[in-house]
Amino acid sequence: QVQLVESGGGLVQPGGSLTLSCVASGIISSLNRMGWYRQAPGKERELVASIRRLEFPTYAETAQDRFTISRDYAKNTVSLQMNSLKPEDTAVYYCYYFDAPRINYWGQGTQVTVSS
């Protein structure tokens, strides 16, 4: 059983920074994608960033220039460095692991609130 645990969420002022972390347990393949989704109230879940071995990271358009995803394949962790945060970044952020062919494992989420 794959288990994902997120941490690092919190309250930050606009323009500030946060780093989210996710620790995965179970059998994790570096060939499979791992990353972050987010969901704001009343909106659909949105892919923020993903990464896998030997591939360039992918980002949502709104995160492209402000967020950086990284992954430690030895420790089975993935992090999301978020800079220049905006109120519209407010959401619950979910760590995910994609197990081929179409199975996603999810963490329970961590709340990120960007507000003055």
Side-chain angles (χ1 to χ4, degrees):
Q1 179 69 40
V2 174
Q3 186 174 9
L4 306 170
V5 180
E6 305 100 331
S7 63
L11 175 65
V12 65
Q13 294 184 347
S17 299
L18 281 176
T19 300
L20 306 182
S21 298
C22 174
V23 180
S25 61
I27 301 176
I28 306 297
S29 173
S30 62
L31 299 177
N32 291 344
R33 293 193 303 273
M34 193 171 176
W36 298 89
Y37 278 78
R38 69 184 180 187
Q39 187 168 26
K43 297 185 178 181
E44 295 183 349
R45 187 169 294 188
E46 172 191 26
L47 178 64
V48 179
S50 65
I51 187 171
R52 64 179 177 181
R53 187 169 63 89
L54 303 180
E55 298 284 346
F56 290 108
T58 60
Y59 297 94
E61 183 71 22
T62 58
Q64 183 69 51
D65 299 321
R66 299 181 296 123
F67 295 2
T68 301
I69 189 171
S70 61
R71 183 173 175 179
D72 189 323
Y73 296 96
K75 297 180 179 179
N76 289 329
T77 61
V78 62
S79 298
L80 185 68
Q81 175 67 48
M82 304 185 294
N83 298 321
S84 301
L85 284 163
K86 306 174 181 179
E88 49 263 43
D89 294 317
T90 297
V92 177
Y93 285 70
Y94 297 91
C95 181
Y96 85 95
Y97 171 74
F98 183 76
D99 192 5
R102 293 183 179 182
I103 300 175
N104 264 349
Y105 293 89
W106 304 94
Q108 294 188 201
T110 184
Q111 177 71 48
V112 173
T113 302
V114 184
S115 178
S116 298

